[in-house]
Every structure is written in C-alpha cells, then in structure tokens.
Amino acid sequence: RPPLLLVFEAKSWEHGVMIGACVKSETTAAAEFKGKKIMHDPMAMRPFMGYNFGKYLEHWLSLPKPGRKMPKIFHVNWFRTDESGKFLWPGFGENIRVIDWILRRCNGEDIAVETPIGFVPKPGTIDMSGLKNVNESELFSLPKHYWLDDTQESKRFLEDQVGIDTPPVIFQLLDQQEKAFLAMPDEQQVRRT
C-alpha cells in the first residue's frame, strides 16, 4: 500500500479537487477487478463515473462563487501499513481522534504545518493518549521518492485517461507539488514542525 498520511488538509478548494482527482484505492468487486491491486480511482468514483471526467472536475472547480464559503477538504487514510504489513493506525473508534483534529482545523486552530501535499498535523496535535504502539512520526512521514513518483504517475494518468479535458489548474498544482518535493534535499523527509 502507498505511504499516504493518516490525515491531511487541502491548501485550497482547487487543491482539494486535485487531491480527489489523484485518489487511488485497492481494487474491489465494484471495480470489476480481483486481487489486491492499487488503481487510480478519481474521487473514489471510477466504477460509477457516468461522463467525461474532465467535465466532472470542471464542475467541482466551478463551485466557488463570490460570497460562498467553501468547506475545507481533508484526505484520510485509515489503512497505512509499516514495512511488515501491519496497520499503523488502530482504526475503528480511535478514528474519532482524527475527526477531532479535522473539526479543530475547521474552527481555525493553528495545529497544522504546510507541506508540499497540504496541511498536516503538527506533532502532538492528534490525541494519542492511551494508544499503544502508534508511531506518529511514521504515520505522518512524507517519503520524497514516493511522492515524486506518485506525482509524476498521476500526471501521466491524467494525460493518458483525461487528456486535454483535464482542467489546467490540476496540472499546475501537480507541477507545484513536484517542484516543492524536488527542492528538498534527497535524504530529508518533510518535517512537521
């Protein structure tokens, strides 16, 4: 499984649409695949997409209007695993800890730091009390090599599958993300402090 963070917040509405456009998931019966394979699943809707995906993205990008307050967009990944395949997050009822962080962000609390992929929790801002064997540092690590490969692969997917119908802002945001990761020293992980 890809090393996606437990939770992160989009930088803007447009950035959130880009995140949704690049979602991947394990194949399911709904997607008419068998086995555990990671595939592009834009907006987690690929098996149900009834029309041109570029037009679908344009629809979401057109929603902001003067005087309209757009909601924040968050991405969660309850299923990140370590190198041995063990889940890093306990899930189930413990997910309320992440939802609490999301709600606090919606209320404007300064409990996040900006990274190339969006705003991630500052260390210690998700309540980890009472949890055993949860490695917060690993849950929120951003391996540069993975994110560069993923960004480039997402651009190729959009070029191949959506082509000229991809709204230009999506490629602009992916280019910005790639440049931010390229600017990092090779040995450095993104810091959350």
Side-chain angles (χ1 to χ4, degrees):
R1 288 193 166 128
L4 298 177
L5 282 67
L6 177 61
V7 62
F8 62 97
E9 175 188 345
K11 298 177 184 183
S12 66
W13 180 261
E14 292 78 13
H15 185 246
V17 173
M18 183 274 292
I19 291 168
C22 297
V23 165
K24 296 179 181 81
S25 65
E26 274 189 7
T27 56
T28 66
E32 300 179 17
F33 287 94
K34 294 181 180 174
K36 294 191 182 238
K37 180 181 174 188
I38 303 296
M39 64 177 249
H40 283 274
D41 188 10
M43 304 287 197
M45 292 291 293
R46 183 176 182 150
F48 314 105
M49 192 66 61
Y51 65 101
N52 180 301
F53 183 59
K55 300 298 180 193
Y56 185 82
L57 292 175
E58 285 178 5
H59 163 75
W60 286 104
L61 291 167
S62 75
L63 291 179
K65 303 281 187 238
R68 182 180 286 173
K69 182 179 178 186
M70 300 305 293
K72 292 178 178 268
I73 298 175
F74 295 86
H75 181 286
V76 296
N77 175 26
W78 310 121
F79 307 108
R80 186 170 181 173
T81 56
D82 62 17
E83 290 179 3
S84 66
K86 183 180 177 205
F87 290 113
L88 293 174
W89 183 250
F92 302 102
E94 304 305 346
N95 294 347
I96 196 68
R97 298 166 187 259
V98 177
I99 294 168
D100 173 69
W101 181 86
I102 289 171
L103 292 173
R104 290 167 45 218
R105 281 297 293 159
C106 289
N107 285 330
E109 286 191 39
D110 182 18
I111 53 175
V113 64
E114 188 171 356
T115 71
I117 65 161
F119 296 100
V120 303
K122 288 180 180 177
T125 59
I126 292 181
D127 178 14
M128 301 283 185
S129 60
L131 295 180
K132 295 180 182 176
N133 303 321
V134 173
N135 183 337
E136 185 178 12
S137 166
E138 191 172 2
L139 268 174
F140 293 102
S141 67
L142 288 165
K144 176 181 177 177
H145 69 282
Y146 167 79
W147 284 99
L148 279 172
D149 290 348
D150 183 75
T151 303
Q152 293 164 358
E153 205 278 325
S154 291
K155 287 197 284 190
R156 278 192 303 275
F157 167 77
L158 291 167
E159 288 165 354
D160 293 346
Q161 297 295 313
V162 188
I164 61 171
D165 291 328
T166 306
V169 69
I170 302 296
F171 285 123
Q172 292 165 4
L173 291 165
L174 284 166
D175 287 343
Q176 290 171 12
Q177 180 172 292
E178 183 176 21
K179 286 177 187 166
F181 276 109
L182 284 170
M184 291 172 40
D186 286 338
E187 68 283 350
Q188 178 185 346
Q189 296 276 338
V190 173
R191 298 187 60 148
R192 298 186 304 124
T193 55

